[in-house]
Amino acid sequence: MDSTATNSNMEEYSAASTVIKFDKPVPLLRGPVPHDDPSSGSYLLAFRSPQSWASVYESCESKILSQCEHGARIGCSVNASKNCKPPWWRNLIGQRPADFKEREDCEVREMEACLIVAKDKCAGFAKDRLLRPFQDARIAGRVGPKEVEKLVCWASLPETERSLWRDLIGSKWLGEREFRVRTNYRAADLLGSDNNYKRFLG
């Protein structure tokens, strides 16, 4: 047998030629935890911790802002060019030729003003798209009286609002020894009235 042909066949069936490399699996953002309400199913998906929840929120917010601001730059560029171009009738009445330096300065001013407004609108757009679904997202953890006090400062709440947190931990009265322990809680319960998620990233 020809040794050259043999070597060629070996190369065709070598590991480098036949093994397919796959990307490493992307870790799950949420994992299954036992459902508090068996009638709704055995499990539900929840973030591992407030930090993982806040990290995903930040990542989604960054992507939405990037896409929104990219689109805004295109729109602002078109508007700046439109607002700064000389009127069509200028050449008809024999006025001086257009000053391109003046037009360039005009477009720079228009772009800057437009992008400032667009950046604020993009921030509002990202918040509107993310806040509700992320508030309803579940975070894994057992919530008892001590945890509730730490998360929402239960002791400082008015009496009219304390019943809400009693219901949260599944006990009619906070002082009772026995109460239903939950395996998860809504992110809105963690945030309270402060929607600043970045405090959980530290």
Side-chain angles (χ1 to χ4, degrees), residues 5 9 25 43 46 58 70 73 78 84 86-87 96 104 108 114 123 131-132 145 151 155 165-166 169 176 188 193:
N9 291 335
Y43 296 92
E58 183 180 46
H70 178 72
R73 280 192 293 271
V78 173
C84 295
R96 61 183 177 82
E104 181 182 357
V108 170
C114 181
L131 193 56
R132 177 170 292 182
L151 295 176
W165 304 112
R166 294 190 187 107
I169 64 174
E176 292 181 355
S193 60

Side-chain angles (χ1 to χ4, degrees), residues 107-127:
E107 290 180 351
V108 170
R109 291 192 302 270
E110 289 286 330
M111 278 287 293
E112 290 177 350
C114 181
L115 288 176
I116 291 174
V117 175
K119 188 173 183 179
D120 291 338
K121 289 184 177 180
C122 285
F125 175 78
K127 183 177 181 180

Side-chain angles (χ1 to χ4, degrees), residues 70-135:
H70 178 72
R73 280 192 293 271
I74 296 174
C76 287
S77 178
V78 173
N79 287 335
S81 179
K82 180 179 178 180
N83 294 337
C84 295
K85 69 179 181 180
W88 61 270
W89 44 262
R90 173 174 291 180
N91 292 333
L92 298 178
I93 60 176
Q95 290 191 356
R96 61 183 177 82
D99 185 348
F100 290 104
K101 180 63 170 65
E102 180 181 348
R103 180 176 178 177
E104 181 182 357
D105 293 341
C106 174
E107 290 180 351
V108 170
R109 291 192 302 270
E110 289 286 330
M111 278 287 293
E112 290 177 350
C114 181
L115 288 176
I116 291 174
V117 175
K119 188 173 183 179
D120 291 338
K121 289 184 177 180
C122 285
F125 175 78
K127 183 177 181 180
D128 291 341
R129 289 294 178 271
L130 294 175
L131 193 56
R132 177 170 292 182
F134 270 85
Q135 281 182 331

